[in-house]
Amino acid sequence: MIRLEHLQIGYGHCVIAQNDNNIACAKGKFITLIGANGTGKSTLLRAISNNQHIIKGNIYINDYNTNNISDLYKSKTISVVLTNREFSQFLTVEEILYLSRAPYTNFLGKLTPSDIDFVEEIMTDFEILKLRSRRLSTLSDGQLQRVLIARALVQDTPYIVMDEPTSHLDVHHKAEILLKLRDYCHQHQKCIIFSSHELSIALALADEVLAIHDLKLTHQSKAEFIGTGMLAKMFPSPLLNFKDGLLGLKINDDKSKTHNFKFFNPLQPLY
Ligand SMILES: Nc1ncnc2c1ncn2[C@@H]1O[C@H](COP(=O)(O)OP(=O)(O)OP(=O)(O)O)[C@@H](O)[C@H]1O
């Protein structure tokens, strides 16, 4: 379980988001984090993964306060896909994946046959076998994003946080990768928290929603969240309509001068 207790995140003394009630994110849940630009999604994900100062409150992973956990425990417990390129661009795809097994190797860093099989399995699942010998610096943004998602899975931790993991992917790969991640989360009882601006796909697939609006961080089941009508408040726009929990896009009909909305129901699975 990841627990957020009376958390305040932000910069200096400036709070950008806080949760008044305690929040618990359980294993086996595929949780989307949504909010308008600049509301604090990346800041929250960095805080959860212990890469960001917290103004107030506590974050617990498996009942351990993240302020007090060792690097080794952290690397076996939570993996992260952030948006910055914080690793050496000279590494090949295969090398960065093998390095992600480091928490499980002996002091010589030697991989076992089962480590290698596991990496091969993930490379196959995420269609990156063909990229294995390529240096990271030579990958397209979309290819790199698939590699970084694979890297987080190779680390094989119960908790995974991902900041906009599909932002560079084409529409086919967005749907495919999020479906794979959801199935992986359910099959292996992982807790995956991912931020996304792809509301329709994210809400169609997620089990639960973390939302940041008006400096408040909330956590609800998907159905509860949609029932609150919060989407319309989070994204006030004359082009969008969220009536009855349905996401609608305004389509101007020039002849009749009326505005119709094409609706997509995020409660319906995509397939
Ligand atoms: N290092 C920093 N110092 C001060 N303020 C920062 C810093 N990094 C981010 N901020 C501010 O904190 C707020 C939240 O930023 P954050 O990147 O977490 O938002 P976000 O919800 O992920 O945004 P987006 O959807 O645009 O990616 C923004 O107002 C941003 O300008």
Side-chain angles (χ1 to χ4, degrees):
M1 194 81 84
I2 292 179
R3 284 191 293 119
L4 313 180
E5 278 191 6
H6 302 292
L7 194 64
Q8 287 188 346
I9 52 168
Y11 298 90
H13 294 293
C14 176
V15 176
I16 56 170
Q18 63 181 48
N19 67 302
D20 297 334
N21 302 317
N22 291 339
I23 286 174
C25 301
K27 289 182 197 165
K29 297 293 181 193
F30 194 50
I31 304 172
T32 188
L33 169 60
I34 62 175
N37 286 135
T39 47
K41 300 178 296 300
S42 302
T43 308
L44 175 67
L45 294 179
R46 285 199 300 270
I48 291 175
S49 56
N50 207 6
N51 290 305
Q52 172 83 37
H53 161 76
I54 296 167
I55 295 177
K56 214 170 157 189
N58 293 295
I59 299 177
Y60 295 92
I61 298 183
N62 290 343
D63 291 331
Y64 293 103
N65 191 315
T66 53
N67 284 329
N68 303 327
I69 58 178
S70 68
D71 286 344
L72 181 61
Y73 184 78
K74 187 174 130 185
S75 64
K76 286 184 173 177
T77 311
I78 186 161
S79 53
V80 189
V81 180
L82 297 178
T83 49
N84 54 349
R85 292 185 175 230
E86 88 291 9
F87 38 81
S88 167
Q89 296 292 307
F90 292 105
L91 290 172
T92 64
V93 167
E94 197 173 58
E95 284 166 350
I96 198 170
L97 295 181
Y98 287 151
L99 278 175
S100 300
R101 294 299 295 166
Y104 307 100
T105 55
N106 62 18
F107 69 101
L108 292 172
K110 191 164 165 43
L111 295 169
T112 63
S114 67
D115 287 318
I116 291 169
D117 287 349
F118 186 57
V119 172
E120 293 293 315
E121 203 181 302
I122 301 276
M123 280 201 282
T124 308
D125 278 358
F126 285 83
E127 297 173 26
I128 52 176
L129 278 171
K130 282 193 202 152
L131 303 174
R132 66 188 309 154
S133 303
R134 294 267 300 271
R135 289 197 193 284
L136 299 177
S137 58
T138 69
L139 300 182
S140 74
D141 287 341
Q143 289 170 330
L144 181 66
Q145 211 156 30
R146 295 215 312 273
V147 170
L148 296 183
I149 291 169
R151 179 176 77 152
L153 300 195
V154 162
Q155 205 179 319
D156 197 19
T157 57
Y159 304 97
I160 306 171
V161 298
M162 300 186 168
D163 196 1
E164 298 187 43
T166 58
S167 59
H168 293 296
L169 302 185
D170 62 60
V171 68
H172 160 69
H173 283 109
K174 272 186 210 302
E176 191 195 36
I177 296 281
L178 283 179
L179 273 167
K180 274 187 184 159
L181 287 173
R182 184 193 65 168
D183 292 347
Y184 180 83
C185 161
H186 290 164
Q187 276 165 17
H188 299 275
Q189 288 297 293
K190 307 282 183 185
C191 171
I192 298 184
I193 303 175
F194 68 103
S195 66
S196 181
H197 288 296
E198 312 292 336
L199 289 183
S200 44
I201 298 182
L203 286 172
L205 295 178
D207 302 308
E208 296 175 355
V209 180
L210 279 167
I212 306 180
H213 176 61
D214 259 355
L215 308 183
K216 292 270 188 296
L217 171 66
T218 56
H219 178 224
Q220 288 164 305
S221 72
K222 179 169 62 178
E224 279 168 354
F225 172 77
I226 288 172
T228 60
M230 174 81 98
L231 279 171
K233 292 180 197 146
M234 295 171 88
F235 303 100
S237 163
L239 298 176
L240 300 176
N241 190 327
F242 299 95
K243 205 172 88 185
D244 299 329
L246 301 176
L247 176 58
L249 179 63
K250 184 183 267 186
I251 298 178
N252 286 322
D253 179 343
D254 286 340
K255 283 182 192 150
S256 65
K257 300 282 184 209
T258 57
H259 298 302
N260 298 316
F261 286 93
K262 176 85 182 148
F263 285 107
F264 173 81
N265 184 353
L267 282 175
Q268 295 294 325
L270 283 179
Y271 63 99

